[in-house]
Amino acid sequence: MNIVSMAAQYLTPMIVDRIASSLGITSPLAQKAIGAILPTILASILGSSQKPDGLRNLTDILGKQDTGMLGKLSDLIGGSGQSAAVNAGTNVLGSLLGNSALGSLTGAVAKFSGIGDGPAKSLLGLVGPVALGAVAKQQKDSGLDAGGLAKMLLGQKDNITAAMPAGFADLLKGTGLLDAVAPRVVGGTTTTSSTGTGSTPARPATTTPSYEAPRASGGSWLPWAAALAALLIGGWYFLS
């Protein structure tokens, strides 16, 4: 399972074209912005799930999501209900991320994709509920409680990290939005562990250089052997 792909399947090329047309931007720019928004929101969802207070807030938000809207996006985009949907999506993201972080994400998306703050804010309002809806649907279909949800999301860490477009994380330094998936990318000092579930400091090599082995293994007893041999020869000569 890949939660990023599950969410992205609802944002088909036709849907993206309609979103772009409704916002007055080109489809490639809309796709570029969505490609940054989707994994970032999922990263924030993952981050929230790993904190007791955040997990409670997240489960409350997911419980209110209408997963049926995922299959009705084509009817929503460009229609009279789009503005209300954008406002509702923006509000729920504000509850999840915090208004300050949401503002930072809006600015980062606008700068990264070149679409401006207005279209970026609208895209967040539309794409945010898609990401939340995909997670809510997976939780419901799998019958996951809060602990199971947190475990499922943690297992998606590598998929979310891999979906992050190059260079976008640099625009979110200091926001905390990506800390759960890519501490090194956003300015941390640790490296991701091989299991993908945490990070460990880099360790220096401890192997002993091979050229030191002869001195350590044999150099210490040679002087004593030579002295003993000289003593035995001297004693034999004296007794003779």
Side-chain angles (χ1 to χ4, degrees):
M1 183 192 75
N2 186 326
I3 195 65
V4 182
S5 298
M6 290 178 62
Q9 70 178 331
Y10 298 105
L11 297 166
T12 64
M14 183 190 72
I15 296 294
V16 173
D17 288 345
R18 295 189 65 171
I19 291 175
S21 178
S22 71
L23 299 180
I25 59 178
T26 66
S27 294
L29 290 182
Q31 187 62 64
K32 184 176 183 179
I34 291 171
I37 291 172
L38 198 56
T40 301
I41 294 177
L42 290 170
S44 300
I45 292 173
L46 168 58
S48 295
S49 73
Q50 304 307 302
K51 304 171 185 176
D53 291 342
L55 182 57
R56 283 192 290 269
N57 183 45
L58 175 61
T59 53
D60 182 58
I61 290 174
L62 292 178
K64 298 176 181 178
Q65 295 304 300
D66 177 15
T67 57
M69 59 82 63
L70 293 171
K72 302 176 182 178
L73 287 175
S74 60
D75 298 330
L76 178 66
I77 305 302
S80 58
Q82 179 172 324
S83 179
V86 168
N87 290 334
T90 301
N91 289 337
V92 75
L93 284 181
S95 298
L96 176 68
L97 310 179
N99 290 326
S100 177
L102 179 58
S104 298
L105 178 55
T106 300
V109 170
K111 184 175 181 180
F112 178 74
S113 61
I115 62 176
D117 286 350
K121 184 176 181 180
S122 295
L123 268 176
L124 280 163
L126 292 171
V127 177
V130 174
L132 288 165
V135 174
K137 187 175 188 304
Q138 179 62 28
Q139 181 187 19
K140 182 179 179 180
D141 292 348
S142 301
L144 302 176
D145 59 9
L149 172 66
K151 184 177 180 180
M152 182 273 287
L153 289 169
L154 187 60
Q156 294 299 308
K157 180 177 180 178
D158 289 343
N159 291 328
I160 296 171
T161 303
M164 196 67 60
F168 185 65
D170 293 335
L171 301 177
L172 294 174
K173 287 181 179 179
T175 65
L177 290 171
L178 302 181
D179 287 357
V181 295
R184 186 177 183 183
V185 175
V186 295
T189 57
T190 58
T191 54
T192 304
S193 69
S194 60
T195 61
T197 59
S199 57
T200 54
R203 298 180 180 178
T206 57
T207 304
T208 303
S210 59
Y211 61 83
E212 292 185 357
R215 183 177 61 185
S217 62
S220 60
W221 56 269
L222 288 175
W224 293 99
L228 180 60
L231 182 62
L232 291 174
I233 293 172
W236 178 79
Y237 179 79
F238 178 76
L239 291 175
S240 298

